């Protein structure tokens, strides 16, 4: 079995299993901690609050949006572009159809792919350099923040290194890093991709129940 | 015109090299080589005006010299006659006169050969030594003179120097620059510095990867450059005080030098990045999207300018990194925290200190 | 490790429910909350970053309660145990520099309720006895006299008498079966007793029966401020028992920030049952009476005024429009300050900070944001501050920044501008 076959075959399956089961375990684990039933007479709907809270925090309120503009642009640029890359890049579609499920995802033209990659890289780099160059960020950041960022960066970088598709080693390297990333994910802060809806929702539910405007 | 002479010189020098290399690789022991040697001998003989018959011909050589003056050569050739003017026109006129060259519809451009030789024999050969040399000089400087400390010690009080946006713009540029520098150096020097030691296979992988990475990060450099220019241009215009700075060599070897928010060295570095960066950006676009450029010679020029400019920036960047980190106490604070120690400001940017605080810097700076 | 840290950590873990856990799990250390925190903004010190203030509790959770924590412990990857030293280092962050104003939640991309979690974290601190002296003293007063400022029923009776004289309206104490029972913050009783007269005037006009209990007149819940569940419960129980004994239909929560949340939302959960009466906030009640036409507005106050938004009433209480509606009808020159409404700055003294003398300097620094806002309104003559605690902080702050501005309560303003012509009554 060649290196590429290994990282795309058995290792990928193992990594995916750890990713799915680990993420599920963690989300269910958080929910299972449970919370005391609130018996104060409600003024509004907690369920609606959960939904509204999730939507509200997609964007900060007016004055904060201006103060944090750089972060919003970099954050959204990175996340959206990465999502587009993962789902719609031609090699990814080929891989998904080949290895996972036979879905017909629209294939992006190459220029779209390049533009998305530029935005994703610019966003991620900005987010990280902000982390290292601000006293607040330096104080609150830990290893997990940096490892998560760098792993994601290396996955993206190795992916773009393999763009020529002329060296199977580069494809293998990209896949190896993807596997490492998948294994690291459920144990790290990368999990925010799944936990965000819980925290937004919980605050939203509490506020919603109190009939508050948040 | 100057350019052409340099190219010609390079061409000549490299021809000698090629000639030597060729002679070395010609071993007379194979039959093919013997035939080739014979052909060369025949050509030279015709040039001397001798009559050379095709090998295997049973027609004997006419006696008493050539029948019709100079040898007519093989059919459809001019033989010993030369039309150098014709060939010169065919090769192309003035390489610098691009428009004329295109309009006159020449059949071939030979600048490619000159470009290749310049790149192979000068840029590739020496480019790597500039950064290495800078590192060497800094190493010696650091060992002999050592870290520039804040002589009055840290005061514990700080002054804001760079805003968060400035810091992010700076580090964004730094990250993109480093990525481009490494991938670019691999593309340029891989065959010379990697292939012989790690093997062609490794070099091939690295170069393929670097090329893709370089192309992808290139456009980000342009964004970073524009952003950095906007965020830092204020305070980077040259002033009278900068000339005093030059005379004292920036205080590198002692002595007090005055400067405002940015000193002469920083200002020069800023404008180097802006100007050379612009050249690199433009040539980079030409190289990444070659179909935008009609004339091949512009692309050749682009690779030269791109490479030379990049090596210059990389070399100076190493110095910039040195002074910004281990070379000078307190400098890195400005880019990690946005704030610098007051004593650092007094010693290195006294005029700026006075401007910001409204207090005199000199009372306890010396 | 020490006994103290054990107690604190046990409480941290006990209070880390699925909600707090989701907050600890979701925080991506983006640092935006610092941009919303007025302690950070007015000092520039990164340690005042809101999410950083939660660190010890987060650590305790990640070490002992989070999914995979035992696996991480086995591999030596779990965070180290929380020490008493660390808890003490964090004490000023948890008590002195958090108003629980919840501005940070507005900016948080993950919607984390840091203020609410600080409240839970203080449970650990209170249980371990790591509490600022000022708050500790207030708690002791509460145990003795039911009031953090040590106000006895004698003092209250004196204030009631004064107000009866001033308004000519009788204020009945311990009236069985009244519609409403009013409670007050100590600050109001001591500093702004006119509010008693205002209530009397307004409720007389509206035709409500109301009363004050001689055993439970204090709304300030020091237990909530200090983070002590048992104390908070004791204070709420006192009010609930008195209200239910008097068989009132409603209890009016005063112009005070946290008191409303303490009795309205936390109260039933602390007591483990719903109350036999309804809790209403005075602003809510006045707005309702005004819309029902029971307290019509008369002549308007012509001074140029603005409104401060007490965090617990507006941002965390949801009463955004009510005070503005009342103000519009009570004053002719009402101007909003910059950033008013849901994102308004705290006065700087919320969350027990004003009751904590150690935090005096920080509180004054934080008030600088308010000063900026007030200075941004041209020719301002008065500021309406519908919270007793905020009012006291405002008066201190305006003094410290040498500003001349009148601070008035909303109920008093509404009472002063009430249309008192008898023919409209009914």
């Amino acid at each position: 079995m060649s290196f590429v076959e290994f990282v795309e075959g058995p290792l990928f399956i193992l990594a995916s299993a750890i990713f799915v089961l680990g993420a599920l375990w963690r989300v269910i684990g958080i929910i299972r901690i449970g919370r005391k039933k609130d018996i104060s007479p409600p003024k509004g709907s907690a369920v609606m609050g959960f939904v509204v809270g999730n939507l509200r925090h997609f964007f900060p309120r007016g004055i904060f949006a201006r103060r944090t503009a750089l972060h919003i642009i970099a954050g959204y640029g990175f996340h959206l572009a990465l999502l587009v890359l993962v789902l719609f890049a031609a090699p990814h579609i080929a891989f998904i159809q080949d290895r996972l499920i036979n879905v017909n995802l629209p294939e992006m033209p190459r220029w779209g792919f390049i533009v998305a990659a530029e935005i994703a890289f610019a966003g991620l780099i900005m987010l990280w350099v902000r982390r290292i160059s601000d006293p607040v960020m330096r104080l609150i950041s830990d290893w997990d923040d940096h490892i998560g960022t760098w792993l994601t960066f290396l996955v993206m970088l190795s992916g773009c290194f393999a763009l020529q598709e002329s060296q199977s080693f580069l494809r293998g390297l990209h896949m190896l890093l993807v596997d490492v990333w998948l294994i690291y994910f459920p144990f790290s802060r990368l999990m925010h991709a799944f936990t965000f809806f819980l925290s937004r929702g919980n605050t939203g539910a509490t506020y919603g129940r109190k009939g508050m405007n948040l | 015109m100057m350019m052409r002479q340099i190219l010609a010189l390079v061409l000549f020098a490299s021809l000698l090299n090629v000639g030597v290399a060729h002679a070395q690789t010609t071993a007379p022991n194979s039959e093919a080589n013997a035939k080739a040697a014979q052909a060369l001998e025949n050509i030279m003989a015709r040039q001397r005006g001798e009559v050379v018959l095709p090998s295997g011909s049973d027609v004997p050589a006419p006696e008493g010299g050539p029948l019709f003056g100079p040898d007519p050569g093989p059919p459809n050739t001019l033989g010993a006659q030369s039309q150098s003017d014709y060939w010169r026109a065919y090769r192309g006129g003035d390489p610098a006169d691009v428009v004329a060259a295109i309009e006159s519809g020449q059949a071939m451009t030979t600048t490619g050969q000159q470009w290749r030789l310049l790149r192979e024999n000068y840029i590739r050969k020496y480019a790597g030594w500039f950064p290495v040399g800078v590192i060497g000089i800094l190493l010696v400087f650091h060992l002999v003179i050592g870290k520039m400390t804040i002589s009055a010690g840290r005061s514990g009080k700080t002054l804001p120097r760079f805003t968060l946006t400035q810091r992010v713009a700076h580090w964004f540029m730094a990250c993109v620059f480093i990525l481009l520098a490494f991938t670019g150096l691999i593309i340029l020097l891989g065959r010379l510095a990697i292939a012989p030691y790690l093997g062609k296979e490794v070099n091939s992988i690295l170069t393929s990867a670097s090329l893709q990475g370089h192309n992808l990060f290139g456009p980000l450099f342009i964004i970073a450059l524009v952003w950095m220019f906007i965020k830092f241009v204020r305070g980077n215009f040259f002033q009278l005080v900068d000339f005093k700075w030059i005379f004292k060599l920036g205080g590198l070897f002692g002595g007090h030098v005055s400067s405002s928010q940015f000193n002469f060295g920083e200002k020069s570095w800023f404008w180097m990045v802006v100007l050379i960066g612009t050249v690199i950006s433009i040539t980079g676009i030409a190289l990444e999207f070659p179909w935008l450029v009609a004339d091949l010679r512009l692309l050749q020029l682009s690779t030269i300018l791109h490479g030379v400019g990049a090596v210059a920036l990389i070399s100076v960047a190493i110095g910039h990194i040195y002074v910004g980190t281990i070379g000078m106490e307190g400098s890195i604070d400005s880019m990690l925290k946005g704030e610098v120690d007051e004593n650092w400001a007094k010693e290195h940017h006294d005029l700026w200190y006075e401007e910001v605080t409204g207090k005199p810097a000199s009372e306890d700076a010396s | 490790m020490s006994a103290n840290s054990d107690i604190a950590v046990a409480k941290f873990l006990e209070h880390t429910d699925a909600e707090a856990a989701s907050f600890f799990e979701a925080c991506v250390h983006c640092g935006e909350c610092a941009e919303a925190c007025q302690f950070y903004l007015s000092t520039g010190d990164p340690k005042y970053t809101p999410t950083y203030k939660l660190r010890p509790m987060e650590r305790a959770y990640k070490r002992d309660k989070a999914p995979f924590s035992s696996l991480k412990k086995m591999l030596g990857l779990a965070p180290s145990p929380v020490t008493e030293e660390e808890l003490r280092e964090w004490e000023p962050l948890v008590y002195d520099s958090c108003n629980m104003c919840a501005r940070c939640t507005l900016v948080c991309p993950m919607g984390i309720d840091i203020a609410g979690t600080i409240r839970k974290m203080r449970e650990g601190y209170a249980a371990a006895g790591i509490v600022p002296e000022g708050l500790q003293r207030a708690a002791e007063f509460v145990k003795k006299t039911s009031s953090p400022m040590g106000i006895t029923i004698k003092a209250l009776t004196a204030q009631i008498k004064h107000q009866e004289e001033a308004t000519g309206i009788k204020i009945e104490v311990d009236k069985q079966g009244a519609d409403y029972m009013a409670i007050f913050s100590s600050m109001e009783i001591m500093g702004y007793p006119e509010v008693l007269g205002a209530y009397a005037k307004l409720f007389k006009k509206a035709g409500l029966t109301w009363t004050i209990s001689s055993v439970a007149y204090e709304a300030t819940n020091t237990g909530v401020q200090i983070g002590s569940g048992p104390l908070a419960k004791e204070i709420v129980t006192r009010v609930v028992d008195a209200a239910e004994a008097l068989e009132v239909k409603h209890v009016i929560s005063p112009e005070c920030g946290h008191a409303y949340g303490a009795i309205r939302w936390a109260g039933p959960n602390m007591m483990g049952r719903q109350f036999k009466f309804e809790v209403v906030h005075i602003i809510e009640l006045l707005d309702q009476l005004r819309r029902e036409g029971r307290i019509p507005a008369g002549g308007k106050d012509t001074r140029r005024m603005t409104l401060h938004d007490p965090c617990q009433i507006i941002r965390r209480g949801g009463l955004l429009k009510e005070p503005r509606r009342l103000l519009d009808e009570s004053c002719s020159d009402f101007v909003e300050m910059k950033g008013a409404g849901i994102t308004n700055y705290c006065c700087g003294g919320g969350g027990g900070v004003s009751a904590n003398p150690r935090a005096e300097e920080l509180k004054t620094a934080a008030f600088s944001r308010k000063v900026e806002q007030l200075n941004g309104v041209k020719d301002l003559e008065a500021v309406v501050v519908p919270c007793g605690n905020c009012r006291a902080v405002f008066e201190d702050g305006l003094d410290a920044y040498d500003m001349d501005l009148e601070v008035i309560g909303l109920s008093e303003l509404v009472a002063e501008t009430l249309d008192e012509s008898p023919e409209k009554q009914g």
Side-chain angles (χ1 to χ4, degrees):
Chain A
M1 186 182 285
S2 75
F3 169 59
V4 179
E5 280 165 349
F6 175 69
V7 294
E8 287 190 4
L11 189 62
F12 178 70
I13 291 163
L14 178 73
S16 304
I18 292 175
F19 171 79
V20 172
L21 295 177
L24 268 176
W25 175 270
R26 188 145 161 204
V27 169
I28 292 170
I30 296 163
I31 296 170
R32 273 192 41 150
I33 292 172
R35 59 192 288 195
K36 260 202 221 153
K37 195 179 173 331
D38 192 341
I39 57 167
S40 62
K43 234 176 166 182
S45 159
V47 178
M48 266 308 286
F50 192 96
V51 177
V52 171
N54 260 295
L55 297 176
R56 261 272 147 77
H57 290 276
F58 270 115
F59 206 75
R61 292 288 173 111
I63 53 163
F64 295 119
R66 235 172 299 134
R67 288 196 74 93
T68 60
L70 181 74
H71 200 189
I72 296 169
I73 294 166
Y76 270 106
F78 163 67
H79 281 97
L80 293 179
L82 184 65
L83 189 74
V84 166
L85 282 181
V86 169
L87 291 181
F88 303 114
H92 292 167
I93 293 173
F95 184 82
I96 291 169
Q97 286 172 341
D98 189 32
R99 302 266 168 169
L100 302 171
I101 38 168
N102 193 15
V103 284
N104 262 325
L105 287 164
E107 206 171 276
M108 256 195 311
R110 193 173 165 88
W111 64 263
F113 172 76
I114 299 291
V115 168
E118 306 273 1
I119 295 171
F121 273 113
L124 186 60
I125 293 173
M126 273 185 222
L127 291 178
W128 185 72
V129 299
R130 184 174 163 278
R131 198 174 276 296
I132 60 155
S133 64
D134 184 50
V136 167
M137 299 303 290
R138 292 174 69 83
L139 181 71
I140 63 176
S141 300
D142 57 18
W143 279 107
D144 190 10
D145 295 316
H146 294 288
I147 295 172
T149 310
W150 272 90
L151 258 182
T152 309
F153 176 73
L154 289 176
V155 167
M156 286 162 56
L157 188 70
S158 62
C160 92
F161 278 170
L163 268 179
Q164 204 169 341
E165 295 186 56
S166 64
Q167 297 284 352
S168 70
F169 172 81
L170 292 174
R171 182 189 170 100
L173 181 70
H174 179 54
M175 280 308 297
L176 175 67
L177 285 163
V178 168
D179 293 341
V180 173
W181 188 86
L182 286 171
I183 294 169
Y184 184 73
F185 190 102
F187 306 99
S188 70
R189 202 165 284 117
L190 293 174
M191 272 296 288
H192 73 277
F194 298 125
T195 53
F196 82 92
F197 84 96
L198 284 177
S199 72
R200 284 182 187 181
N202 279 328
T203 299
T206 306
Y207 282 25
R209 200 170 181 285
K210 294 181 180 177
M212 280 150 55
N213 330 268
L214 257 159
Chain B
M1 278 320 283
M2 188 66 182
M3 186 73 186
R4 193 176 182 180
Q5 280 162 354
I6 293 170
L7 282 176
L9 201 72
V10 169
L11 179 67
F12 180 71
S14 50
L15 270 179
L16 285 178
N17 271 349
V18 173
V20 171
H22 183 74
Q24 280 168 344
T25 50
T26 317
N29 46 3
S30 76
E31 199 185 328
N33 283 341
K35 274 188 177 166
Q38 181 58 52
L40 182 67
E41 184 56 39
N42 288 352
I43 291 167
M44 298 311 285
R46 282 198 195 96
Q47 299 249 329
R48 288 192 296 271
E50 293 164 16
V51 177
V52 180
L53 291 177
S55 61
S57 160
D58 37 14
V59 183
E63 277 173 37
L67 292 172
F68 317 104
D71 174 27
N76 297 326
T77 68
L78 291 174
Q81 286 177 31
S82 173
Q83 291 188 335
S84 8
D85 290 340
Y86 171 83
W87 283 110
R88 211 165 283 128
Y90 192 69
R91 265 169 57 160
D94 186 349
D97 193 0
V98 176
V99 181
I102 294 168
E103 280 173 355
S104 60
Q106 280 131 10
M108 67 191 279
T109 53
T110 52
T111 50
Q113 176 71 352
Q114 294 159 336
W115 164 77
R116 198 183 69 84
L117 294 169
L118 184 62
R119 183 172 150 88
E120 292 298 323
N121 293 309
Y122 286 85
I123 298 177
R124 264 217 178 126
K125 224 174 197 171
Y126 302 115
W129 293 109
F130 285 94
V132 171
V134 172
I135 292 171
I137 292 168
L138 290 174
L139 203 67
V140 170
F141 180 86
H142 196 72
L143 292 175
V144 174
I145 296 184
K147 187 174 187 162
M148 290 173 266
T149 52
I150 302 173
S151 52
R154 281 177 189 263
S155 69
K157 280 179 285 178
T158 56
L159 286 178
R161 184 155 166 85
F162 296 125
T163 65
L164 179 64
T165 331
Q166 280 181 317
R167 281 174 270 149
V168 172
H170 166 266
W171 287 113
F172 182 64
M173 169 56 108
C175 287
V176 174
F177 185 91
I178 288 169
L179 277 159
L180 287 170
F182 276 108
T183 51
L185 286 175
I186 289 172
I187 295 167
L188 183 68
L189 302 174
R191 200 180 287 175
L192 203 81
I194 296 170
Y197 308 103
L198 299 174
K200 285 186 173 173
E201 181 65 17
V202 173
N203 184 44
S204 156
I205 290 170
L206 284 174
T207 310
S208 164
S210 295
L211 186 68
Q212 296 304 319
H214 203 80
N215 284 349
L216 203 69
F217 279 101
L220 294 184
F221 178 82
I222 301 174
I223 294 170
L225 187 67
V226 173
W227 194 17
M228 202 206 62
F229 177 79
I230 295 168
K231 285 289 156 197
F232 285 92
V233 69
R234 259 189 69 197
N236 262 312
F237 292 104
F238 290 105
Q239 294 161 297
L240 202 64
V241 65
D242 294 325
F243 293 97
K244 295 183 202 158
W245 192 92
I246 305 173
F247 287 122
K248 290 182 179 172
L249 287 174
L252 210 59
F253 303 97
H256 178 72
V257 282
S258 269
S259 66
S260 42
Q261 190 180 7
F262 300 112
N263 64 34
F264 178 77
E266 288 167 308
K267 287 174 184 172
S268 310
W269 171 229
F270 173 81
W271 289 109
M272 248 188 98
V273 172
V274 169
L275 297 177
I276 300 180
T278 306
V279 172
I280 290 181
S281 301
I282 294 167
T283 53
I285 292 172
L287 293 170
E288 186 158 0
F289 306 103
W291 54 88
L292 297 177
V293 183
D295 192 327
L296 191 67
R297 286 175 297 179
L298 267 186
L299 292 179
Q300 291 160 358
L301 186 67
S302 290
T303 61
I304 304 288
L305 290 177
H306 197 85
V308 171
V311 167
L313 278 190
I314 290 168
S315 306
V316 183
I318 294 168
H320 171 72
I321 292 167
Y322 171 77
V323 179
T325 55
I326 56 166
M328 184 184 281
E329 185 186 359
S331 290
I332 191 85
D333 293 356
S334 63
M335 273 304 164
L336 290 185
K337 300 172 186 166
E339 303 201 332
V340 288
D341 196 87
E342 281 197 1
N343 284 348
W344 181 91
K346 281 182 197 170
E347 285 175 27
H348 300 294
H349 298 275
D350 49 352
L351 302 179
W352 175 71
Y353 174 85
E354 287 170 0
E355 190 190 313
V356 175
T357 62
K359 289 184 279 186
S362 53
E363 54 184 9
D364 48 4
S366 51
Chain C
M1 286 284 260
S2 68
N4 266 344
S5 62
D6 284 347
I7 295 168
V9 166
K11 278 281 172 194
F12 287 167
L13 295 176
E14 183 191 323
H15 283 272
T16 309
D17 53 8
E19 183 183 40
S22 72
F23 297 156
F24 294 142
E25 294 282 354
C27 179
V28 284
H29 295 171
C30 75
E32 291 301 6
C33 44
E35 290 300 318
C37 179
Q38 76 197 93
F39 290 101
Y40 170 73
L41 290 174
S42 52
T43 62
D45 192 332
K47 74 179 176 192
Y48 295 128
T49 305
T51 187
Y52 186 68
K53 295 170 188 167
L54 298 174
R55 212 31 90 73
M57 189 172 177
E58 184 196 348
R59 286 250 315 278
Y61 163 74
K62 291 209 165 149
R63 182 174 169 82
D64 288 317
K65 202 169 181 175
F68 297 125
S69 56
S70 40
L71 176 73
K72 284 183 182 174
K73 233 191 232 172
M74 249 161 41
L75 297 169
L77 292 170
S80 57
V82 178
T83 63
E84 183 170 346
E85 198 188 357
E86 188 184 347
L87 288 172
R88 291 199 182 277
E89 192 190 328
W90 250 263
E91 186 205 332
L93 298 184
V94 175
Y95 283 107
D96 301 15
S97 67
C98 180
N99 292 139
M100 308 217 272
C101 78
R103 239 178 146 242
C104 43
T105 302
L106 291 183
V107 74
C108 178
M110 296 292 159
I112 296 171
D113 179 13
I114 295 177
T117 314
I118 285 281
R119 164 74 185 83
K120 289 173 179 166
M121 192 171 170
R122 286 184 183 179
E123 288 285 346
Y125 271 86
I130 306 173
V131 185
E133 207 184 318
L135 280 175
Q136 189 66 56
R137 205 174 322 120
E140 277 154 24
F141 268 132
V142 171
K143 279 181 194 146
K144 270 188 240 151
T145 64
S146 91
S147 155
M149 290 170 81
I151 297 166
T152 59
I153 180 64
K154 241 188 192 166
L156 176 64
T157 312
Q159 298 287 40
I160 290 174
K161 201 168 260 167
H162 278 141
Q163 289 304 312
E164 283 178 336
E165 281 162 16
T167 57
I169 304 169
K170 175 108 184 91
I171 296 172
E172 291 188 81
V173 177
D174 291 334
K175 184 182 178 174
Q176 196 71 24
D179 288 337
Y180 291 84
M181 179 181 113
I183 52 178
F184 300 92
S185 76
S186 331
M187 200 61 82
E188 286 178 306
I189 301 170
M190 291 311 287
Y192 320 108
E194 312 81 42
V195 74
L196 300 174
Y199 276 26
K201 233 171 111 179
L202 288 164
F203 295 155
K204 182 173 179 238
K205 177 85 179 177
L208 301 178
T209 55
W210 72 293
T211 190
I212 298 172
S213 163
S214 62
V215 287
Y217 44 84
E218 179 60 69
T220 311
N221 196 319
T222 307
V224 166
Q225 292 178 331
I226 205 167
S228 163
L231 181 62
K233 184 181 170 186
E234 195 185 316
I235 297 166
V236 166
T237 306
R238 195 177 292 157
V239 175
V240 172
D241 286 351
E244 287 180 349
L246 290 174
E247 293 175 303
V248 296
K249 296 190 194 75
H250 307 271
V251 165
I252 305 168
S253 188
E255 290 185 28
C256 169
H258 70 275
Y260 177 65
I263 191 161
R264 172 68 175 84
W265 302 112
N269 292 307
M270 290 192 287
M271 308 245 324
R273 65 173 178 87
Q274 296 206 347
F275 306 148
K276 293 177 190 148
F277 54 86
E278 223 182 286
V279 178
V280 289
H281 193 273
I282 181 67
I283 295 177
E284 226 179 337
L285 178 61
L286 292 182
D287 182 58
Q288 184 200 331
L289 294 174
R290 170 63 54 78
R291 277 182 295 147
E292 288 170 4
R294 295 166 72 181
I295 47 166
K300 290 183 176 180
D301 193 316
T302 55
R303 284 175 295 177
R304 198 170 172 81
M305 285 186 194
T306 189
L307 173 73
H308 164 69
D309 295 279
C311 316
Q312 307 299 327
I313 297 172
I314 280 78
R315 187 161 35 246
R316 277 166 82 73
L319 300 179
L320 181 67
K321 293 190 194 85
E322 289 84 347
R324 291 181 161 77
R325 277 202 292 252
L326 289 167
L327 263 174
D328 274 340
E329 292 180 15
S330 303
C331 79
S332 57
D333 196 6
F334 172 64
V335 213
E336 292 280 17
M337 58 174 93
K338 204 178 163 212
I342 206 103
T343 55
N344 209 334
Y345 282 112
C346 175
C347 60
V353 171
S354 64
N356 175 4
R358 190 179 67 190
E360 182 74 31
E361 205 180 310
L362 259 177
K363 184 188 80 175
T364 310
F367 191 74
S368 66
R369 311 304 291 192
K370 208 79 227 170
V371 170
E372 246 171 62
Q373 283 184 306
L374 295 174
N375 283 336
V377 184
K378 256 191 200 154
D379 308 319
L380 191 63
E381 288 168 280
V383 53
V384 178
V385 181
C387 164
N389 183 53
C390 299
R391 250 171 108 170
V393 175
F394 260 73
E395 284 177 356
D396 287 355
L398 293 172
D399 216 35
Y401 288 89
D402 220 7
M403 285 171 76
D404 191 25
L405 202 63
E406 194 166 344
V407 182
I408 42 183
L410 186 59
S411 307
E412 288 132 86
L413 183 70
V414 173
E416 270 165 31
T417 56
L418 187 65
D419 179 4
E420 284 174 283
S421 49
E423 64 271 18
K424 282 189 189 169
Q425 199 173 333

